[in-house]
Amino acid sequence: MSNYSQKIFYVILGIFCISFGINAQKLITIPIETSQNALVFQTDKDNRLGTVFFGKKLVQSSDYGFISKEYKINDENSGIFNSVYTPSGTWNLVEPAIEVKHADGNSSLELKYVSHEVKKIDDNVSETVIVLKDPVYALEVRLFYKVYYKENVIEQWSVIKHQEAKNITLQKYASANLYFMADDYYLNHYHGGWAKEMKPEETKLTAGIKTLDSKLGTRANLFQPPTFMLSFDKPATEDAGKVLLGTLAWSGNFKIDFELDTYHNLRLLAGINSHASEYSLASNQDFKTPSFIFTFSENGKGEASRNMHNWARKYRILDGEGSRLTLLNNWEATYFDFDEAKLTELFKDGKKLGVDMFLLDDGWFANKYPRNGDVAGLGDWQENRKKLPNGIGYLVKEATKAGIKFGIWVEPEMVNPKSELYEKHLDWVIREPQRPEHYFRNQLPLDLSNPEVQDFVYGVIDNLFTKNPEISFIKWDCNAVVYNAHSAYLEKKGLPQTHLYVEYVRGLYKVLEKIRAKYPKVPMMLCSGGGGRVDYEALKYFTEFWVSDNTDPLERVFMQWEYSYFYPAIAQCNHITDWSKVGIKYRTDVAMMGKMGYDIVVSHLSEKELQFSQQALANYKKISDVVWHGDLYRLKNPWENPYASLMFSNATQDHAVMFSYLTTNRYDGVYSVTPVKLKGLDPKKKYKIQEINVYPDAKSSIAKDLVYSGDYLMNIGLNPDITLRRTSVVLELTEVK
Ligand code: DGJ
């Protein structure tokens, strides 16, 4: 064909396409698949990228390309409802993922698909990066989707960058913007407060926006954590229904919006809370958002949570597949009232009990304003000479002599106004100089946006380890929220005060990063006056977290149950304390479903209580591998039954443990009437069942040497024989060959 006839051919083809409505442009389809699920994006005729599918993956991935044609949504504007990263200031009328003010003061933004690539990280992990650009302003957003294939987990975040002449202002910058299509949506979210963590609530989403958020700054999850379960069509149960488990990996203010649009589709936007947090971004600087992490299952909450656990242990929690130390903590045993002699006795008590480590809590430091209560001393990290004249080094030696490891409590981000640190470095404190100070537990947070403060906080830990390399454990506490959010450092640097909430958290991560570079392995407990700061970014640096100061075992059954949807047992610190007067057996059995520890006065235990506890610790050593690394199955929900039952089963299904706890004392429900069907066993295997943690002199009502097949146990079940006299029961299942 000559050039001339070629041109004529294409002109005719063009006319043909236009007249017959054929869109010559090829739509780009981007499937992001895990072993079971798919998240699929597609460009539209204007090259905007939208979500066209989320759910169980199709057998043939080429079919994803057809999905969008099945939706007959006519409203012009709705074309942007499913945007993968909804811009604002142009034609969008719904909640945006990003809002910016350009260098010239203009607030309009449009994002068009430019390219994408898939990087294979290893056999299980891959990363899809999508580039979107504004056709008018030099601004680009890169969307990252990291896929953990086997675990069915997707971790997503975004990076915003521009090349405008001056700084732009980011007014909103979400991590994730997802779109779901289902008959209905049920949101299971959480609320609480000190000693009341993880109170669940399930609600059917109605038109409009439901928001989960935090504006507390430091212990951001105190009232509400960034974790939720979202069921599609109808509320998912433990083993049935479509459910997404999601969480934001960020230890600061967050905002998660669920917007039900006019088509009854659900828009999800998750990220840092933009409240008081406009960010001024220099040209060519990357703004990386935190990760939004989610998993999806068509088989209920149980499978979804096991996905999350598998991922967290393998890829996120520090030493998630390792082991943990049992411990004796002195907080509730002594509070601030101790000295060397008392502590030395406690080391011996810990050894007698049989724990691996002694954990010295709050009150060991400060001299000018001694830390004898929570009103003074925080910030002055020198040993209190009166209580500890020979310093921490002496304690470490004494503990070693007693045959027990030594761990220590710190709260390095905080300061009491009654402290030398406050007197010397007022400019390091988050406070509004023109206004009266407000305290939360008599203290204020230090300004971690300031590199000098970062060095100070790092120094608290580094000094402890440098002087006492044998320290085996750190409990890192954080008890105050941010009031009067003002930073003297940002002011001095001429930076906007609205950077504070973001830079505080980034500063914290810098410190933790540095600590882990030098001390990669030392176990650290993440504590925030209980569970006020638990998230999957912090858990990169911590081996475990303190669930709650509330250690009443009955409360704990519920609390630990709820946390267990998101975090594996190996990360949950459960201590046996004297908070409640319930018998030691119940307290111990409840603590065993996670990482067990004690916070009691051992010398106050009766002979039988001590004997029981020693035996329980020996039992824990035998079953901890299953609890820490096994699969969790929830069998009887305490919100729906008079007792809770759950079990852990190891990967080879030859060892399992079942825990059951009575949760009522009402006449109507004081015993387990029917058998509880077990899960996660091999139907073909035979299991010997043995009750453990039997109280001295008590007789187990479970016949010794019972052997059942997995098939029987999963289809008929086993009655743990929960009664008012047997309020908690632990059964160990071992394969017999
Ligand atoms: C709050 C923690 O949650 C407690 O366990 C204890 O460490 C106190 N702080 C000490 O002040």
Side-chain angles (χ1 to χ4, degrees):
M1 228 192 296
S2 71
N3 267 356
Y4 177 75
S5 39
Q6 238 179 25
K7 264 187 201 153
I8 296 287
F9 172 77
Y10 282 120
V11 169
I12 293 170
L13 181 71
I15 293 168
F16 178 82
C17 288
I18 290 163
S19 27
F20 289 91
I22 296 173
N23 184 0
Q25 184 198 1
K26 194 173 174 321
L27 304 184
I28 311 248
T29 306
I30 310 172
I32 295 172
E33 290 184 323
T34 68
S35 60
Q36 285 168 9
N37 310 315
L39 171 61
V40 184
F41 306 134
Q42 194 174 57
T43 51
D44 66 7
K45 62 180 183 2
D46 298 318
N47 219 20
R48 295 185 181 100
L49 192 65
T51 305
V52 289
F53 178 72
F54 176 80
K56 188 171 168 203
K57 76 183 193 192
L58 300 183
V59 176
Q60 210 167 285
S61 62
S62 54
D63 287 350
Y64 294 127
F66 309 127
I67 297 175
S68 61
K69 290 210 300 289
E70 305 298 330
Y71 293 97
K72 307 285 179 209
I73 293 176
N74 304 320
D75 177 356
E76 245 304 281
N77 180 262
S78 67
I80 200 164
F81 285 14
N82 68 339
S83 167
V84 288
Y85 206 69
T86 319
S88 75
T90 42
W91 69 308
N92 166 41
L93 299 176
V94 286
E95 186 63 26
I98 177 168
E99 277 180 292
V100 297
K101 192 182 263 181
H102 297 285
D104 63 4
N106 182 289
S107 288
S108 66
L109 185 69
E110 172 70 287
L111 290 171
K112 301 250 180 159
Y113 168 84
V114 175
S115 64
H116 75 279
E117 64 169 324
V118 184
K119 292 184 220 155
K120 195 172 153 92
I121 295 174
D122 60 33
D123 280 351
N124 191 46
V125 187
S126 63
E127 196 174 277
T128 301
V129 188
I130 300 172
V131 182
L132 309 174
K133 275 195 177 145
D134 187 338
V136 176
Y137 284 90
L139 185 144
E140 101 178 1
V141 177
R142 274 172 293 151
L143 303 176
F144 291 77
Y145 300 84
K146 195 167 179 179
V147 170
Y148 301 86
Y149 191 80
K150 257 200 305 208
E151 293 74 19
N152 288 298
V153 167
I154 298 180
E155 176 182 1
Q156 74 165 104
W157 68 92
S158 48
V159 175
I160 304 163
K161 194 176 177 172
H162 72 95
Q163 273 106 27
E164 299 190 19
K166 287 191 280 174
N167 281 18
I168 65 165
T169 306
L170 294 180
Q171 293 161 319
K172 190 169 182 200
Y173 31 86
S175 300
N177 185 175
L178 294 168
Y179 197 62
F180 310 113
M181 296 174 182
D183 293 344
D184 280 308
Y185 311 87
Y186 294 83
L187 177 66
N188 189 138
H189 58 101
Y190 297 89
H191 64 96
W194 179 76
K196 286 186 282 198
E197 287 86 345
M198 294 300 272
K199 301 242 177 252
E201 218 162 348
E202 186 160 59
T203 174
K204 181 176 173 177
L205 293 173
T206 53
I209 301 183
K210 165 87 184 167
T211 299
L212 309 180
D213 84 333
S214 168
K215 303 185 184 77
L216 283 73
T218 40
R219 48 188 312 193
N221 303 352
L222 185 63
F223 300 151
Q224 191 159 59
T227 44
F228 64 87
M229 293 190 261
L230 181 66
S231 301
F232 300 103
D233 301 334
K234 52 185 186 211
T237 61
E238 197 57 31
D239 297 306
K242 299 175 192 162
V243 62
L244 177 145
L245 254 70
T247 186
L248 189 77
W250 180 246
S251 312
N253 294 348
F254 62 86
K255 186 162 184 262
I256 306 175
D257 287 320
F258 301 84
E259 181 176 20
L260 199 54
D261 70 18
T262 47
Y263 295 97
H264 206 71
N265 295 329
L266 188 69
R267 309 182 63 251
L268 181 150
L269 298 116
I272 293 177
N273 197 334
S274 54
H275 160 76
S277 293
E278 286 193 345
Y279 201 93
S280 172
L281 187 70
S283 178
N284 273 320
Q285 192 190 334
D286 276 349
F287 184 94
K288 184 178 178 214
T289 70
S291 295
F292 177 68
I293 295 157
F294 62 99
T295 183
F296 174 75
S297 167
E298 291 232 318
N299 306 308
K301 296 170 176 176
E303 183 176 275
S305 75
R306 284 186 292 280
N307 286 343
M308 199 60 120
H309 297 170
N310 290 339
W311 168 82
R313 280 190 301 251
K314 183 148 191 216
Y315 294 105
R316 189 53 71 116
I317 297 169
L318 191 91
D319 202 20
E321 294 183 311
S323 61
R324 298 291 185 268
L325 299 169
T326 56
L327 59 85
L328 174 66
N329 188 190
N330 71 312
W331 175 240
E332 288 192 29
T334 65
Y335 292 105
F336 297 95
D337 179 22
F338 55 81
D339 58 16
E340 276 174 357
K342 209 176 203 177
L343 293 178
T344 315
E345 282 311 304
L346 295 184
F347 300 158
K348 292 181 196 148
D349 284 351
K351 181 65 189 171
K352 187 156 83 179
L353 188 62
V355 295
D356 302 316
M357 185 189 64
F358 177 84
L359 170 62
L360 174 60
D361 214 284
D362 196 354
W364 57 268
F365 49 90
N367 287 295
K368 182 171 176 190
Y369 304 104
R371 182 76 172 165
N372 292 330
D374 62 11
V375 291
L378 207 51
D380 301 345
W381 297 101
Q382 301 78 33
E383 291 100 326
N384 178 279
R385 285 187 291 273
K386 214 162 157 205
K387 287 184 197 171
L388 307 177
N390 297 299
I392 297 296
Y394 171 80
L395 294 179
V396 178
K397 265 197 218 117
E398 286 302 304
T400 315
K401 247 199 256 166
I404 197 165
K405 291 179 193 293
F406 182 86
I408 196 160
W409 176 97
V410 289
E411 193 180 1
E413 298 159 72
M414 301 281 159
V415 65
N416 280 131
K418 223 171 158 193
S419 69
E420 291 183 82
L421 182 71
Y422 181 91
E423 287 172 352
K424 270 193 223 139
H425 287 293
L426 193 57
D427 58 327
W428 284 7
V429 181
I430 294 182
R431 59 194 289 280
E432 180 62 69
Q434 318 169 58
R435 297 186 187 276
E437 289 178 353
H438 282 291
Y439 308 121
F440 199 107
R441 207 193 183 208
N442 313 302
Q443 64 192 56
L444 291 164
L446 295 174
D447 176 8
L448 266 173
S449 73
N450 183 342
E452 280 181 39
V453 175
Q454 293 165 19
D455 288 345
F456 169 81
V457 173
Y458 170 77
V460 174
I461 309 294
D462 191 39
N463 286 341
L464 277 169
F465 283 133
T466 310
K467 286 198 206 143
N468 312 285
E470 305 86 355
I471 288 180
S472 310
F473 187 89
I474 296 281
K475 176 178 176 183
W476 182 306
D477 209 345
C478 163
N479 283 283
V481 301
V482 171
Y483 292 129
N484 288 329
H486 180 271
S487 155
Y489 169 77
L490 293 175
E491 187 169 278
K492 198 162 108 201
K493 289 279 162 190
L495 291 166
Q497 287 297 326
T498 51
H499 285 201
L500 180 56
Y501 285 121
V502 172
E503 293 305 344
Y504 183 97
V505 182
R506 286 180 171 172
L508 174 68
Y509 294 153
K510 275 187 202 154
V511 173
L512 291 167
E513 199 64 49
K514 207 165 150 192
I515 291 172
R516 283 315 182 185
K518 191 160 174 194
Y519 308 103
K521 282 251 148 79
V522 186
M524 292 210 298
M525 182 205 287
L526 173 62
C527 171
S528 183
R533 176 158 77 183
V534 189
D535 67 81
Y536 272 126
E537 193 61 22
L539 284 170
K540 273 183 178 170
Y541 308 101
F542 290 88
T543 47
E544 53 219 81
F545 66 91
W546 184 225
V547 168
S548 173
D549 276 355
N550 188 340
T551 45
D552 177 313
L554 184 58
E555 296 292 335
R556 279 295 188 116
V557 169
F558 291 88
M559 227 181 252
Q560 293 169 192
W561 181 275
E562 295 304 328
Y563 268 120
S564 84
Y565 284 109
F566 306 95
Y567 301 101
I570 192 167
Q572 295 191 41
C573 297
N574 304 337
H575 292 183
I576 296 139
T577 76
D578 288 326
W579 178 299
S580 107
K581 294 294 158 242
V582 172
I584 190 104
K585 172 169 163 58
Y586 192 91
R587 282 181 273 159
T588 307
D589 290 354
V590 172
M592 267 200 183
M593 66 183 264
K595 205 222 88 166
M596 184 161 97
Y598 289 82
D599 197 343
I600 50 167
V601 186
V602 178
S603 58
H604 291 179
L605 294 177
S606 70
E607 211 175 296
K608 272 193 189 164
E609 284 174 332
L610 179 63
Q611 194 190 333
F612 168 78
S613 304
Q614 289 166 330
Q615 187 53 52
L617 273 159
N619 289 337
Y620 188 63
K621 285 254 174 313
K622 277 203 295 164
I623 62 160
S624 53
D625 178 53
V626 187
V627 174
W628 295 341
H629 311 121
D631 285 327
L632 168 66
Y633 295 89
R634 295 176 204 82
L635 310 175
K636 288 277 177 192
N637 187 334
W639 301 100
E640 294 159 8
N641 297 282
Y643 62 101
S645 249
L646 51 93
M647 66 179 284
F648 297 88
S649 167
N650 70 355
T652 42
Q653 297 180 317
D654 53 20
H655 196 192
V657 200
M658 175 186 180
F659 296 95
S660 303
Y661 315 106
L662 187 71
T663 51
T664 180
N665 55 10
R666 294 188 64 190
Y667 175 72
D668 215 15
V670 290
Y671 58 97
S672 47
V673 183
T674 50
V676 180
K677 289 187 177 116
L678 278 72
K679 298 175 193 169
L681 300 174
D682 180 340
K684 292 198 204 83
K685 285 188 175 153
K686 291 209 164 8
Y687 297 89
K688 186 176 104 187
I689 292 144
Q690 194 199 349
E691 180 168 0
I692 58 171
N693 284 6
V694 179
Y695 203 68
D697 298 340
K699 259 192 87 192
S700 169
S701 58
I702 306 288
K704 259 207 176 124
D705 301 325
L706 268 187
V707 175
Y708 288 123
S709 68
D711 178 42
Y712 179 91
L713 291 166
M714 292 195 290
N715 288 304
I716 306 298
L718 184 71
N719 196 322
D721 192 22
I722 286 286
T723 68
L724 265 183
R725 293 160 146 260
R726 286 166 54 81
T727 54
S728 63
V729 174
V730 185
L731 300 173
E732 185 182 4
L733 287 83
T734 321
E735 186 193 355
V736 270
K737 301 220 170 151

